[in-house]
Amino acid sequence: MATQTPMKTIVALPGEGIGLEVVDATCELLMGTGVPLKILTPPQGSPLPDETKKAAREADGVLFGAAGPSTSPVVSWLRWEMSAWAGVRPIRFFPGMRSPLADPDGIDYVLLRENSEGLYPGREGELADLVNVMPDLSDRTGRKIKEFGDEGRFAVKIVTPKGAERIARFACDLARKRRARGKPGKVTCITKSNVLPRTDGLYQQTAERIVREAGLEFEHFHVDDAARRLVRFPKSMDVVLCMNLYGDILSDLGAETAGGLGLAPSGNFGDDGWAYFESVHGSAPDIAGKGIANPTATILSAALMLEHMGMGAEAQRLESAVGRIYRDGKMLTPDQGGNAKTREMAQAVLAAYR
Ligand code: ATP
């Protein structure tokens, strides 16, 4: 008797703006695949209702759309309260995607963003308060904070050995998995340790130690150099390990090199195997409500979610279906030079999946 895959429960939280359209189209696609899934859509609201938190905590997978001003509590809860500290952002070119690069074929790396420390979620204050408690804090030239006067503001960047270690170990796991699939098994760490040797330096040194202990190849670039390398030599990248802010910025850059913001998926992993999945893009108010948002980023996020739920074959089939749609080039949204609507493109992916 054939063994049946047990039913999995997904919580879909669309957020707002184009999040509504791309999550809707992706859920319809998922239901059409015949994969045994139950999709729950609990209320969003501010603050996020307890029943929604409970459902998302207990679900096998959580698919989020896009955050905007009125749904920021949803993403705050998903990322900060659930401590989804590892942001996995695959950057992959599928032939047919509208890359601005002359030769994008073969771009295939994962940008790993440390989600929980650095400058996020934003700790700021008045300079006068900082001067009061740390009047002698000085920069690397010896200039004291108080010399700025007390009008102004400051932001705090945090790096801990624990945070740097766990993301570096995560990078090693990713690199090992990719090496098993024929990729180089290399971790490229990105910081600005020449300017911030204590904070970024701690991140860099921790990453280097852990990656080398794991027997994997390690390299490091400062973020300015890294930005140009991701444009000029994207095919030399395998696992790109970034601090929080640098990862935020460079993943948009990476997405664009593959073909645009509408194409880049992500998975955000916390402790004990909990994770949520979302596109890298935001709510895109400029195109929201028009039904023309590209659903690829959300569909590929759903593929990452299927893989996370133990449905690797279905995930691969979904990615291949996306690949076929780009190769055909007939059912693409306007950002990719086509005139398909969001739902039409998702339905075309479904037809290719079948
Ligand atoms: P937010 O403030 O919610 O992050 P934003 O407009 O600042 O929104 P994005 O939502 O990331 O940033 O969008 C940036 C640009 O990329 C927009 O001009 C938008 O049209 C385009 N874009 C983003 N996602 C998609 C998509 N799925 N399909 C087509 N275009 C997209």
Side-chain angles (χ1 to χ4, degrees):
M1 206 172 78
T3 49
Q4 278 205 326
T5 314
M7 176 78 80
K8 301 279 183 187
T9 303
I10 295 172
V11 162
L13 296 166
E16 65 190 271
I18 61 167
L20 301 167
E21 300 152 49
V22 292
V23 167
D24 201 39
T26 303
C27 288
E28 192 185 359
L29 154 60
L30 287 174
M31 292 316 288
T33 58
V35 175
L37 296 174
K38 184 173 163 196
I39 302 181
L40 306 177
T41 50
Q44 302 190 121
S46 178
L48 193 62
D50 286 343
E51 62 168 297
T52 305
K53 293 181 183 174
K54 184 170 182 294
R57 248 192 229 107
E58 292 171 358
D60 297 300
V62 177
L63 186 65
F64 179 64
S70 66
T71 47
S72 61
V74 186
V75 83
S76 284
W77 183 80
L78 291 169
R79 191 170 296 172
W80 307 112
E81 285 185 53
M82 290 304 286
S83 189
W85 47 267
V88 174
R89 300 179 159 199
I91 307 289
R92 182 170 161 204
F93 173 79
F94 290 75
M97 285 180 171
R98 225 180 180 193
S99 168
L101 301 187
D103 180 22
D105 210 1
I107 294 178
D108 179 2
Y109 63 92
V110 177
L111 189 144
L112 179 61
R113 172 181 174 192
E114 201 294 312
N115 269 346
S116 69
E117 299 190 344
L119 280 162
Y120 287 66
R123 289 158 293 265
E124 300 174 300
E126 296 297 322
L127 208 46
D129 293 333
L130 183 63
V131 171
N132 272 337
V133 286
M134 301 180 87
D136 294 323
L137 181 66
S138 57
D139 60 33
R140 293 171 62 224
T141 67
R143 183 176 44 169
K144 298 212 161 114
I145 288 286
K146 60 188 176 198
E147 289 175 39
F148 285 95
D150 50 15
E151 236 182 276
R153 299 189 179 139
F154 68 93
V156 174
K157 181 171 199 173
I158 290 180
V159 181
T160 69
K162 179 183 165 225
E165 269 183 46
R166 69 182 179 183
I167 197 74
R169 292 194 200 288
F170 198 105
C172 292
D173 286 346
L174 267 180
R176 271 192 223 98
K177 279 188 201 137
R178 287 175 59 86
R179 191 167 61 179
R181 298 205 318 262
K183 305 287 176 198
K186 175 175 77 170
V187 176
T188 303
C189 177
I190 295 177
T191 73
K192 189 69 181 169
S193 59
N194 49 348
V195 173
L196 298 164
R198 298 193 65 192
T199 46
D200 287 29
L202 172 61
Y203 189 94
Q204 178 188 344
Q205 286 148 20
T206 307
E208 176 156 14
R209 173 174 55 79
I210 285 170
V211 173
R212 293 210 190 280
E213 276 170 13
L216 295 160
E217 191 184 337
F218 177 88
E219 65 185 7
H220 170 268
F221 299 115
H222 295 301
V223 62
D224 41 348
D225 184 24
R228 104 187 152 78
R229 284 174 188 273
L230 292 180
V231 174
R232 177 65 67 179
F233 311 114
K235 293 180 219 174
S236 71
M237 301 295 165
D238 189 7
V239 174
V240 177
L241 173 59
C242 293
M243 302 183 82
N244 206 336
L245 177 63
Y246 310 143
D248 187 7
I249 297 167
L250 294 179
S251 51
D252 271 30
L253 181 148
E256 208 57 49
T257 60
L261 214 42
L263 313 176
S266 83
N268 297 278
F269 296 78
D271 294 319
D272 307 321
W274 189 85
Y276 79 92
F277 299 83
E278 64 172 332
S279 57
V280 167
H281 65 73
S283 60
D286 55 334
I287 56 165
K290 297 184 179 157
I292 55 165
N294 190 323
T296 304
T298 308
I299 295 171
L300 291 176
S301 300
L304 293 174
M305 180 177 69
L306 292 177
E307 193 184 338
H308 175 67
M309 297 190 307
M311 297 172 160
E314 291 84 350
Q316 260 187 17
R317 193 165 154 189
L318 187 52
E319 282 183 10
S320 302
V322 169
R324 202 163 335 142
I325 291 308
Y326 278 93
R327 266 199 316 278
D328 290 353
K330 294 189 190 110
M331 270 294 173
L332 303 178
T333 43
D335 59 298
Q336 297 299 305
N339 50 25
K341 296 275 190 185
T342 307
R343 186 174 174 273
E344 289 169 343
M345 184 169 174
Q347 286 297 306
V349 174
L350 173 59
Y353 181 96
R354 284 174 172 153

